[in-house]
Every structure is written in C-alpha cells, then in structure tokens.
Amino acid sequence: MNVLSSTSGKREAKAYLSRFKPPSTQPDKRIISKIGGAGTSTKDHISGVNLGSLFLPARAVDESPIFRQDTAPRTFVDIASEPLHVALVGIKSSQLIDDKTLQGIGLTLSQLVKLGLSCIVVVNLQDEQAQTMLSAQPLLWRTGAIEQADRIVSAIDHQSGRGARRLDSIIGISPMKDDLTPTVKVRGRVRVLHRNLLFAPLRRGIVPVVAPIGYTSLDQKAVAVSANDVMLALTRELAGIVPCSTPDDEPAQLMHSIRTAQRQVSLDRIIVLDPLGGIPSTSSRTESHIFINLEQEYDSICDELLKLKNNPKTEPQDEPSWRASPLSSLRLSNPLSKFVEDEIVPASMQAPTNRLPSMDLSIDSHLNSLRLVRDALAILPPSSSALLTTPQEAANSSGHSSFSKMPGVGTRPFRNPLIHNLLTDKPIFSSSLPRTRVFPSTNSTLNPSAPATFIKHGMSLTILPDPRIEAWRPPTPLSPPLQLSDPRIDLTRLVHLIEDSFGRPLDVQRYVARVSQNLAGIIIAGSYEGAAILTWEAPPKLPSSVLPGTPARAARMVPYLDKFAVLKRSQGAGGVADIVFSAMVRDCFPKGVVWRSRRDNPVNKWYFERAKGTWKIPVEEQGAQGWTMFWTTERVDGDRFDDYEGVCRGVETSWADGKKVLD
C-alpha cells in the first residue's frame, strides 16, 4: 500500500505527518548502514507500510560526514510519554461476515496500527437480535459472543505480528439507574473497570477486542450489555472523563487526574462497520450521506429516517442481503449465526403487512448508529470524527483491488475508506459533488454498496433569510431585500473573512452600496469560518418594458454567487467549503446559480467538479485577463445563457487596493 495513492495532495499528507509523527526510536541510519550492510533498507522502518519517499530524510543531510569513533548510542524514548492515537471500531453482525472478509478487515486494522492509529474493536451482535437470543438461550448467546470475538482476534493475528487480544472482565455495570437522559452522556451504568488492562496492549501495538459482556458490581454476574453502551463507556474512558466523584475528592487533584488521562490518549475516530453501509439519504438503498455535519443536520436526518420507516416502499424488492449473500455458509459451524438466520430473521418476515422485510430493523440500526456517533463526538474534541461503512469496503485494500468500480472513475485507484480517512480526515468523495458524479445511474448494471458516511460534530450553519420558512425570491417593493447592516450579521467579521480569503482589502462602503438593492441572502458557516454572499442580478440586455417588481422581471433575474470565502486556516480542511456550497445548491438555489472566476484561479478545478456547465468568456480587450463562468442550472441556452454571460461580464469589483486584478 502506497500512501501517495491514498492522499488527495500534499496538504493532507503534511497534516497527517504533523499529527501522527512517530517517535524517533531508531539509531542513526548511517550507523545502521555501516553495521548492518549497505543493502539495509529503512523505507518501511517507521510504520511497516510502504510509504514511498514521504519519510526519507534529505539526501544532503543524510550523507554529511560524522566524526564518531564508536557506535551511535541508542536514544531512549519513553513510549508512555507519547500520546496514543486511537480508533474505536464497532463491527456489527460479525456472525454474518465470512472468514475472507474478516481477514481483510484484520489486514486493514493492522495497517491502521502501523500508520500510528491504535485500534480497539467492540463486537456488536445487533442489539435487537442479541436481546431476543438472550431471553431464549443466554448461555448460547454468551458462547456465540465470545466465539465472534475470537474470530476477530484470529483474523488480526493472521495479518499482524503483534496481533490482537480478547479482553475479559473489562466492562462493569453499576447499580445506578439511567433515570436522567442528559444531552451529553458523560455518565452511564456501563463503565470500564480496569484502565491499565486496556492500555497495556495498546501501548505494545496489540488490538484489544471487547465482547458485549459486562459484570455487575454487586455479584459479578456476567450479563449481556448493549454494544453501543460499551462503545460509549470506552469513549468516556479514553476521553478522560471520571465515571463518578465523591465529596471527599479534592477538585485540584481530580482535575489533574483528568488532564493526565487526556494527555495519554487521543480518541481520533469512531468507526462503525455495518453491513447496511452509510446513513441513507433518500428512500433509495443505493445512496447515502457522504458527509454529515451533526451540528446542522442531525435532527433533519433523524426525521428523514423516521419518515422512511413510517412510509416504506411497497413494491417487491430483491432478495434480502442475508439470503442472497454467501455468508450463510457460516451458519453450519456457528450456533449464533444459525439461531439468527433460522429464528430471528424469519420471525421479522412473518409480519402480516406488505412492508419491506426488516425495514424497521434497518432504519432502527441506522438511527442507533447515528445516535451513538452523536453521543460519542459530543464528549470528544472537535478534531475527532466518525466513519460508517460496510465490512466489505473496510476489507478491501489497494493490494486486492486495483481500481474503483464506481461508474465514471474506472481508472482511479481504489481507496480503502478507513486508510483514506486516516490520511486525509475526509471522505473519499466530496459531499458537495453532484450526485450523478458519485452514485451510479439507475440503468447501470453495477450495484455497489452505499459509500461510507463521514461524520463530524461540525459547525453551525446560518442562512439568512431562512429558506425553510420561505424560498428565496427576487426583491419586490412589498418584500425588500436583506441588508448587510442586519443586526444578525456581524459585518466586521464578514469583511475580515472576505479579506483573509482573497488576500485583498475590500472597499466596504462601495461593496455594501452595490449589493444593498439586490442581496438575495447570505450563508455563514460556524464563527465566520466560511460564507457565501448571493445576489439577484438584472441582465444588461433586459428590455426597458420589463418593469421592476413584475413577474416578467423576476423570471429574468439571475441568481449570482457574488462572494465565496473561506478562512485560509480552514481551507482544504474541515469541509467548510463543502458545507457552504452544499447549502447553497441544495437549500438556497436548488434550481441553479451562476458565478465567475478568473481563468488562472487555482480553485477552478474545485469549481469544475461541481458545476454542471462552464464557459470561458471571450476577452474583449487586448491583453486583458478573462473570466470563466460556472453554473449549476440544468439547462442553460438561449436568453438564459446570454443573461448569465452578461451578468458575469458586468458585475463590478469592489476592492480597495486599486489593482486591476480580477477577484
């Protein structure tokens, strides 16, 4: 696996190296070369994964002579002082995963460990099925849960030298009741009993595997627990949250212990491997959310899933995946799988309705995953994120699949979503790309699984005026336009954002005067980390007979993206541009919007991928710098095209530096 084929560019590679910098525990390369021979390779000594030339030192520095008569002393590094970067991995329905796929998952997890991201695996037998089997045959359920944990351990051991270890007696259950349901779940009945037992294997590069079995604090009885509760208990432990405190605890000492625990570990990823794939965005099972900004979208996505659950399709569907897949051969040797396939699944299909088989269970599973991620990220730093994908996608690697199967990108090397996300902190596909460039067409013979869903706690999104209340329309005498002097808009911070993004001073008075009569709205991401200012522009060739305020004039007004700005420190990271752009084309101007950019603008590549049409506007003056026009409208021809081009030619710049440079 070559890291250069998994990253999007130098920016992402630099960010990965700065965060996951491995400790320098090796002696000087020149001494190794002298002692071990000239043929000794150090290409893979940092991570054990072929990283190309990223970690190789500069040749001039490396070959400089050193006066030393004895061998170089080994530098001692206290590994315990280095913070651990950890991913918490939940594997759903592991009893339905065949051995080959599980081996692939083991390979991917071992690669993550080698790249600096330690992993903790939690076995998830699906909560509803586990409870059903627990009530019927609790001993068989416990035996099956341990067998699944051992299968995962064996798969990782097969791919990694240090392997994995199943941890027993690590999860405890306190007698307290969950009477309170706080928004942020900093407490819970399920908790980690032995912190050192968890961290000891992690420090040695071993992957701990935890089965959903807890022990009561009163009588040490082994009982079944929700895998989501185990994930949250581990999240609290890794985040350094003290499970409980007493009045006798010294506040200063308590704070010191919390900070010490937080410095020891950084929980960077919550990974859920679900056969259902990412969180579905529509009723179609082949599409899913690519990126979810929880701060903005959590409530609306939950409502969308509940509507999908309450109004399922009634058309005949293909055979359920658990019957069509070759995984059922596992049932012959696994009592838990046999019980699930023979008892639980048929029971869910015997409902006397024409609803989709297991539709309720599928939606509930998605909702449980989404709630788990929300609760976990709520107690983690903003830099932490989550990834939901299928076991098959997680099992694939560049060594097994050379090319992507997605239509339109047949020559693009396949990217494992877990490896790609570690190296870039981004989803494989940008969330602001048109859906047709990510998902296959309806008449395609291919039917790939839904892409992975990348989730961050994210940032708030302010849209003025709110399109959920009223759609954006051209201003009329009865409905005047929004003003930048509106008290809901911090004009000072907005100006700073524009100037920082473009690197030029803005003539504020002139700009405000220009957009005061035609401002359509404004989109603000977070604390002015990104923004889009949109206007309604009148075409220059508009006939004088088309009077202002009339429906004919409103139909000819052009929706125009006047300013699209992202703070330099937020460019290329955090998905700020994707969040703003998606809101613009999805909520504000779903029928299309037009904008312009100078021809040599480096961001044009990003625009080309998201536009449905482009046009290089001919240059009228000799030696003048030209514009490239972009639009997201479905069909642009005739008068509409002329209107778009006229607006893009005629909009005046509003910079204060006096330079004749296009904005």
Side-chain angles (χ1 to χ4, degrees):
M1 181 190 63
N2 194 323
V3 73
L4 297 178
S5 67
S6 298
T7 57
S8 298
K10 293 182 179 179
R11 185 197 302 267
E12 288 79 10
K14 184 178 179 181
Y16 161 74
L17 292 176
S18 64
R19 182 166 179 80
F20 293 89
K21 183 181 297 183
S24 178
T25 59
Q26 300 291 335
D28 192 280
K29 176 186 175 183
R30 285 154 287 182
I31 304 302
I32 296 178
S33 175
K34 185 175 181 180
I35 298 175
T40 303
S41 173
T42 60
K43 188 175 184 179
D44 302 337
H45 79 276
I46 292 180
S47 65
V49 182
N50 182 7
L51 300 179
S53 60
L54 273 178
F55 285 118
L56 292 182
R59 183 176 180 181
V61 176
D62 185 63
E63 295 182 354
S64 59
I66 294 179
F67 180 81
R68 179 172 292 146
Q69 293 178 323
D70 56 354
T71 59
R74 292 181 178 269
T75 303
F76 175 76
V77 177
D78 184 8
I79 299 179
S81 65
E82 296 292 332
L84 271 175
H85 295 278
V86 179
L88 192 55
V89 184
I91 303 180
K92 283 191 172 184
S93 300
S94 58
Q95 69 274 13
L96 299 180
I97 302 177
D98 64 292
D99 291 338
K100 182 178 179 181
T101 302
L102 207 57
Q103 294 284 347
I105 295 174
L107 173 61
T108 300
L109 295 182
S110 65
Q111 289 175 338
L112 291 178
V113 173
K114 292 177 181 179
L115 289 171
L117 187 65
S118 302
C119 296
I120 302 174
V121 177
V122 176
V123 180
N124 189 341
L125 303 180
Q126 288 287 7
D127 295 337
E128 295 82 6
Q129 298 175 357
Q131 293 301 323
T132 302
M133 186 174 183
L134 180 64
S135 60
Q137 302 182 44
L139 183 58
L140 181 61
W141 178 92
R142 182 182 174 186
T143 302
I146 294 176
E147 286 181 358
Q148 293 308 309
D150 290 338
R151 286 185 67 223
I152 297 173
V153 169
S154 177
I156 300 174
D157 285 342
H158 183 73
Q159 303 293 343
S160 174
R162 301 193 176 184
R165 175 184 299 173
R166 174 167 58 86
L167 299 184
D168 295 319
S169 306
I170 193 175
I171 300 298
I173 303 175
S174 64
M176 76 173 191
K177 296 181 179 180
D178 295 331
D179 295 333
L180 300 177
T181 56
T183 304
V184 181
K185 295 187 177 181
V186 295
R187 297 183 62 186
R189 293 186 60 199
V190 181
R191 59 191 180 91
V192 176
L193 293 177
H194 306 291
R195 180 181 177 90
N196 293 334
L197 187 62
L198 177 66
F199 277 78
L202 282 176
R203 290 290 182 190
R204 297 196 299 270
I206 299 174
V207 178
V209 179
V210 182
I213 300 173
Y215 294 85
T216 58
S217 58
L218 297 179
D219 52 7
Q220 292 298 306
K221 180 181 179 181
V223 296
V225 294
S226 166
N228 285 0
D229 289 342
V230 175
M231 296 273 285
L232 286 176
L234 289 168
T235 300
R236 288 190 289 265
E237 186 67 34
L238 296 172
I241 298 177
V242 179
C244 58
S245 59
T246 64
D248 297 333
D249 292 335
E250 290 290 339
Q253 184 177 1
L254 189 62
M255 181 60 66
H256 175 72
S257 63
I258 293 176
R259 291 179 177 176
T260 301
Q262 292 175 342
R263 284 194 298 266
Q264 291 177 348
V265 65
S266 173
L267 181 53
D268 297 322
R269 297 290 188 278
I270 304 293
I271 300 174
V272 178
L273 304 184
D274 189 345
L276 298 175
I279 303 297
S281 60
T282 64
S283 58
S284 173
R285 290 189 175 187
T286 61
E287 293 187 10
S288 66
H289 288 276
I290 296 175
F291 171 71
I292 295 178
N293 176 19
L294 286 177
E295 183 73 16
Q296 171 205 359
E297 301 177 281
Y298 176 78
D299 291 333
S300 61
I301 292 177
C302 286
D303 293 341
E304 181 180 326
L305 291 176
L306 290 175
K307 290 180 181 178
L308 181 61
K309 176 181 177 180
N310 296 328
N311 299 283
K313 289 183 178 180
T314 57
E315 299 87 10
Q317 298 291 325
D318 295 334
E319 188 178 16
S321 58
W322 58 79
R323 295 298 187 194
S325 66
L327 306 183
S328 59
S329 59
L330 182 65
R331 66 192 292 271
L332 300 177
S333 59
N334 191 315
L336 180 60
S337 298
K338 184 176 186 300
F339 181 88
V340 170
E341 292 191 14
D342 292 343
E343 302 296 335
I344 298 176
V345 173
S348 65
M349 298 174 60
Q350 293 174 0
T353 64
N354 57 355
R355 306 176 73 176
L356 284 178
S358 74
M359 171 62 78
D360 287 354
L361 291 178
S362 299
I363 298 303
D364 289 340
S365 178
H366 286 305
L367 286 170
N368 288 335
S369 297
L370 193 59
R371 289 164 184 158
L372 166 66
V373 170
R374 178 203 58 178
D375 294 339
L377 294 183
I379 56 180
L380 293 174
S383 59
S384 300
S385 58
L387 185 69
L388 280 67
T389 188
T390 63
Q392 290 72 25
E393 292 293 311
N396 287 327
S397 67
S398 58
H400 294 111
S401 179
S402 301
F403 301 99
S404 170
K405 295 182 180 180
M406 297 301 290
V409 290
T411 60
R412 179 181 297 174
F414 179 84
R415 296 179 178 180
N416 183 289
L418 274 64
I419 303 294
H420 176 86
N421 181 252
L422 167 64
L423 299 174
T424 66
D425 197 27
K426 293 178 180 179
I428 291 182
F429 301 102
S430 173
S431 60
S432 59
L433 285 173
R435 309 293 287 182
T436 54
R437 297 189 181 181
V438 177
F439 300 101
S441 58
T442 55
N443 58 358
S444 174
T445 58
L446 297 175
N447 187 25
S449 59
T453 297
F454 179 59
I455 305 177
K456 272 184 168 290
H457 187 272
M459 59 189 67
S460 60
L461 191 70
T462 304
I463 305 179
L464 301 174
D466 192 342
R468 296 173 299 179
I469 299 176
E470 185 177 2
W472 287 12
R473 294 185 177 88
T476 63
L478 298 179
S479 58
L482 178 74
Q483 300 295 318
L484 291 180
S485 58
D486 190 289
R488 295 171 294 179
I489 301 175
D490 191 332
L491 185 59
T492 302
R493 300 179 71 180
L494 180 62
V495 171
H496 169 73
L497 166 62
I498 295 173
E499 293 180 344
D500 178 81
S501 178
F502 287 89
R504 303 179 65 185
L506 182 69
D507 188 337
V508 180
Q509 185 175 0
R510 181 182 176 187
Y511 181 73
V512 172
R514 188 184 75 78
V515 302
S516 61
Q517 299 301 318
N518 60 340
L519 185 62
I522 182 172
I523 305 171
I524 302 171
S527 300
Y528 288 82
E529 296 178 56
I533 301 177
L534 300 111
T535 59
W536 293 103
E537 302 291 341
K541 296 181 181 180
L542 194 65
S544 57
S545 58
V546 181
L547 301 177
T550 61
R553 185 180 179 88
R556 292 289 298 273
M557 295 295 284
V558 173
Y560 179 71
L561 173 58
D562 190 86
K563 289 286 185 291
F564 189 86
V566 178
L567 288 176
K568 280 188 169 58
R569 62 179 172 82
S570 300
Q571 292 178 6
V576 178
D578 288 326
I579 292 174
V580 176
F581 192 91
S582 297
M584 177 184 71
V585 299
R586 180 188 60 203
D587 303 325
C588 302
F589 284 136
K591 294 183 179 180
V593 62
V594 65
W595 69 96
R596 68 183 185 183
S597 174
R598 66 177 187 271
R599 291 187 181 179
D600 62 345
N601 192 340
V603 82
N604 281 354
K605 179 182 178 182
W606 195 85
Y607 287 151
F608 275 116
E609 292 179 341
R610 286 149 183 81
K612 294 185 178 178
T614 64
W615 169 253
K616 290 185 178 180
I617 301 177
V619 179
E620 296 180 347
E621 300 180 6
Q622 186 69 22
Q625 194 176 22
W627 296 105
T628 298
M629 180 174 71
F630 302 87
W631 63 86
T632 61
T633 314
E634 284 293 342
R635 295 181 180 178
V636 177
D637 51 15
D639 292 340
R640 198 59 173 169
F641 181 86
D642 294 337
D643 291 347
Y644 278 12
E645 183 180 2
V647 167
C648 289
R649 284 183 180 272
V651 172
E652 297 181 358
T653 60
S654 303
W655 302 110
D657 52 13
K659 297 179 181 180
K660 294 183 178 180
V661 180
L662 301 180
D663 55 348

